[in-house]
Amino acid sequence: PEWRRLVQRDLQDPYYEVRSAIFATLKTQCTRGGFQPDAQLVRELREHLKREQNLEVLCAGLQALPCFTEGEKLMDDSRKYLQHSNWRVRDAFLNFLTLCLQAGKIGPGIVRDMMSDMNLLSEYFMPTFSLQERRSKLEKLLTQSVERTTP
């Protein structure tokens, strides 16, 4: 109850840093087993991300969702991130897919389908090309997943 009240309050904070920190804290606490949001709070967090406009909060939310959301609910409304106008959100979404696949929350077929529809261009030149690199890592993980599940 106390966690719920704090999370709900801080999601309404006008400072994006506070909203972003909520998702980072939830990720840390869920990963360590210190806190597991109930179904109602998970719905509220997902609804908040649907409305959130700040890039930092969206990215933090995408990193936290796999920690406390199961299966198909992870994919609800997520296709919009494939073509998001900001490359950093698309990069966070690739990481989101990687986390989901590693945790066994989604299968390789869903990830491949999503990746085939993804915009990999970025308006920011970086010599490391993080979107392509993250996609390559995810493709390697997919290959390993398929090899493990194929008799």
Side-chain angles (χ1 to χ4, degrees):
E2 184 65 19
W3 264 97
R4 171 191 287 280
R5 189 181 63 72
L6 292 173
V7 169
Q8 290 170 325
R9 180 197 69 195
D10 290 348
L11 282 176
Q12 304 309 313
D13 197 285
Y15 290 100
Y16 77 89
E17 296 93 343
V18 173
R19 298 189 315 274
S20 182
I22 281 295
F23 284 104
T25 300
L26 286 172
K27 178 183 178 187
T28 300
Q29 291 300 313
C30 290
T31 302
R32 293 180 180 168
F35 172 70
Q36 191 63 37
D38 60 34
Q40 176 60 33
L41 185 54
V42 170
R43 276 192 299 279
E44 290 173 25
L45 293 166
R46 288 176 54 227
E47 287 300 316
H48 179 82
L49 281 179
K50 289 179 190 177
R51 297 184 311 273
E52 182 62 59
Q53 297 297 310
N54 183 274
L55 301 176
E56 301 296 328
V57 179
L58 281 174
C59 292
L62 285 170
Q63 302 317 296
L65 277 180
C67 298
F68 52 78
T69 305
E70 295 297 326
E72 294 302 315
K73 289 183 180 182
L74 280 166
M75 297 298 107
D76 290 352
D77 306 313
S78 63
R79 284 204 174 270
K80 68 181 178 183
Y81 300 118
L82 294 169
Q83 299 295 325
H84 196 278
S85 61
N86 190 288
W87 72 270
R88 293 184 319 167
V89 174
R90 295 191 311 270
D91 187 48
F93 186 69
L94 274 177
N95 195 43
F96 163 84
L97 289 174
T98 302
L99 293 169
C100 291
L101 185 65
Q102 287 173 329
K105 295 193 175 199
I106 57 173
I110 293 171
V111 176
R112 283 193 195 283
D113 179 50
M114 293 246 177
M115 286 173 54
S116 69
D117 294 336
M118 187 165 201
N119 174 4
L120 292 177
L121 299 176
S122 70
E123 62 278 355
Y124 181 73
F125 178 75
M126 294 186 322
T128 58
F129 304 104
S130 68
L131 282 173
Q132 287 88 350
E133 288 177 10
R134 192 173 311 276
R135 181 186 169 109
S136 294
K137 288 177 185 176
L138 185 53
E139 284 177 346
K140 191 178 289 185
L141 182 62
L142 276 169
T143 302
Q144 293 168 353
S145 293
V146 169
E147 290 170 0
R148 282 190 301 240
T149 58
T150 305

